[in-house]
Amino acid sequence: MDFERENFDLSGPLHLTCVQWDNAHHRMSVAASLVQAVYILERDRQEKRKDQNALAPPWWAFFHFQLLRPLVDDVDSSIFGAIFEFKPPLSPRNDTLYRSPRYVIAFRGTLTKQHSVSRDIELDIHFIQQGLHQTSRSTIALNAVRNMVATVGDSNVWLAGHSLGSAMALLTGKTLAQTGTFVESFLFNPPFVSAPIERIKDERVKHGIRFAGSVITAGLTLAMKAKQQQQQPPPPPQQLQQGKQPQQQKDLCVASFDALAAWVPGLFVNPSDHICSEYIGYFEHRRKMEEIGAGFIERLATQNSLGGLVMSAFGKESEALHLIPSASMTVNVMPARDFREAHGIHQWWQPDLRLERKLYKYK
């Protein structure tokens, strides 16, 4: 089964013989295939498959990409990402090449194989504890993307990732977006740290739980902000003598969240995947709160997590990656046979998908 899923000729998007780069489905399929290529790069390394025995190359060569270099974890030496360069053929003519990337930086998710599983699970735990940004793997990823963007510009680079890899891409994209650098991003099955509220069938119960959560989170946010202002040191005497008002401490969380609003990453979510399905409720609840006149509450709640607020209260640094202001969300509404299919990367290049797309812009 693993060999079949890793072999491009058996499970790859062979139907995409001519990629139309202005076609959303084609772009999604190529990005997902390059993420799969990273999975197979690591599997090739583990199984010592080289040269003609390697299974990874067709996953990028089919779309005229070349492997520029892999990204290697400094703890277990596993390949967790890769930089691919697009080398389109001179013919036939493709009028949509202007929408293609020059480089794609892709990140894989957790591999449940003995050579890499312990490190991957360690990083999964860091993500749950809102500390992925403090890991060496995230530093390697961020430096690779920053260097590439500095060399060729943000409009020539794509980010792509699946599961843990999408969290890595999201962290990198958010960090760059806070400085005004917006990289097109394809985040497949991105993890969302929350109770699985989206699985509740009764819409009234679901909305009630989310509403209560928003009120509690907004209340704690206001309380934390008031505490920060009380702890602010008094202004120096020289400032008071000049008749200047003391500058209020800026709410870094709000400022950071507002700065991200112009960045619109692509989220690819399956409702049957409890790891990522909460993104559906996260954005829809925000819309509903605006409709009932509770937008102020939700604007406070949507940029903070209860876990992050608790950690901040104890003086611990945290980064709630799953909280983002804007997104272009694609939902695969095709019924999934099981969790593995709902969470798998393979679904995103199938030709017969039933997809629903919505754009959410933070205001």
Side-chain angles (χ1 to χ4, degrees), residues 232-291:
Q232 183 179 355
Q238 183 180 6
Q239 188 181 44
L240 292 176
Q241 291 173 1
Q242 294 174 349
K244 294 181 179 179
Q245 295 294 323
Q247 183 179 6
Q248 294 294 322
Q249 182 179 19
K250 195 170 185 179
D251 188 333
L252 294 179
C253 182
V254 173
S256 174
F257 206 75
D258 289 343
L260 289 173
W263 181 54
V264 187
L267 305 185
F268 299 85
V269 175
N270 191 309
S272 299
D273 176 12
H274 61 267
I275 290 177
C276 68
S277 61
E278 283 305 304
Y279 269 112
I280 300 172
Y282 172 73
F283 283 106
E284 279 299 295
H285 178 63
R286 184 195 300 175
R287 181 184 60 80
K288 291 178 181 178
M289 292 289 278
E290 290 285 352
E291 289 178 352

Side-chain angles (χ1 to χ4, degrees), residues 41-333:
L41 272 171
E42 172 57 15
R43 290 290 294 131
D44 282 346
R45 185 190 73 88
Q46 293 177 1
E47 298 296 324
K48 297 179 173 58
R49 299 185 300 226
K50 299 179 180 179
D51 302 324
Q52 69 272 15
N53 294 320
L55 295 179
W59 289 94
W60 62 76
F62 186 81
F63 304 107
H64 306 292
F65 281 86
Q66 294 179 0
L67 175 64
L68 198 61
R69 69 180 179 95
L71 301 177
V72 179
D73 190 283
D74 63 340
V75 174
D76 66 355
S77 299
S78 66
I79 297 172
F80 72 89
I83 303 176
F84 300 100
E85 183 178 7
F86 184 45
K87 292 287 190 178
L90 296 178
S91 62
R93 178 179 172 83
N94 186 337
D95 293 331
T96 68
L97 284 176
Y98 72 96
R99 292 294 307 275
S100 66
R102 285 181 60 189
Y103 298 90
V104 177
I105 305 176
F107 306 101
R108 65 165 176 84
T110 302
L111 263 176
T112 55
K113 304 295 181 182
Q114 63 176 356
H115 300 285
S116 56
V117 65
S118 60
R119 174 61 169 163
D120 288 350
I121 290 179
E122 176 190 343
L123 291 163
D124 289 332
I125 294 172
H126 276 294
F127 172 79
I128 294 171
Q129 296 177 337
Q130 302 185 14
L132 188 64
H133 63 293
Q134 297 172 324
T135 65
S136 59
R137 182 180 289 189
S138 71
T139 301
I140 295 170
L142 180 58
N143 287 339
V145 177
R146 273 180 170 159
N147 291 338
M148 183 58 67
V149 168
T151 303
V152 303
D154 54 5
S155 63
N156 293 307
V157 179
W158 282 6
L159 285 177
H162 174 251
S163 195
L164 173 62
S166 68
M168 198 69 65
L170 179 57
L171 171 60
T172 303
K174 284 181 71 173
T175 303
L176 293 177
Q178 288 170 351
T179 63
T181 300
F182 305 124
V183 180
E184 186 161 0
S185 302
F186 297 78
L187 310 177
F188 299 100
N189 303 85
F192 192 104
V193 180
S194 171
I197 302 173
E198 193 60 27
R199 301 183 72 177
I200 299 173
K201 301 301 180 184
D202 191 311
E203 290 295 327
R204 290 178 298 177
V205 173
K206 188 190 301 185
H207 178 65
I209 294 174
R210 292 195 189 280
F211 184 86
S214 294
V215 172
I216 293 171
T217 304
L220 287 174
T221 301
L222 291 173
M224 289 291 295
K225 185 175 181 180
K227 182 179 179 181
Q228 290 172 355
Q229 291 175 342
Q230 289 175 357
Q231 294 175 343
Q232 183 179 355
Q238 183 180 6
Q239 188 181 44
L240 292 176
Q241 291 173 1
Q242 294 174 349
K244 294 181 179 179
Q245 295 294 323
Q247 183 179 6
Q248 294 294 322
Q249 182 179 19
K250 195 170 185 179
D251 188 333
L252 294 179
C253 182
V254 173
S256 174
F257 206 75
D258 289 343
L260 289 173
W263 181 54
V264 187
L267 305 185
F268 299 85
V269 175
N270 191 309
S272 299
D273 176 12
H274 61 267
I275 290 177
C276 68
S277 61
E278 283 305 304
Y279 269 112
I280 300 172
Y282 172 73
F283 283 106
E284 279 299 295
H285 178 63
R286 184 195 300 175
R287 181 184 60 80
K288 291 178 181 178
M289 292 289 278
E290 290 285 352
E291 289 178 352
I292 65 174
F296 172 74
I297 294 175
E298 188 56 24
R299 279 191 289 276
L300 284 174
T302 197
Q303 56 198 268
N304 294 281
S305 69
L306 286 173
L309 290 170
V310 171
M311 293 178 71
S312 296
F314 286 95
K316 295 183 178 180
E317 182 186 355
S318 65
E319 171 83 17
L321 278 184
H322 57 287
L323 303 181
I324 52 177
S326 306
S328 173
M329 187 158 61
T330 300
V331 180
N332 179 11
V333 296

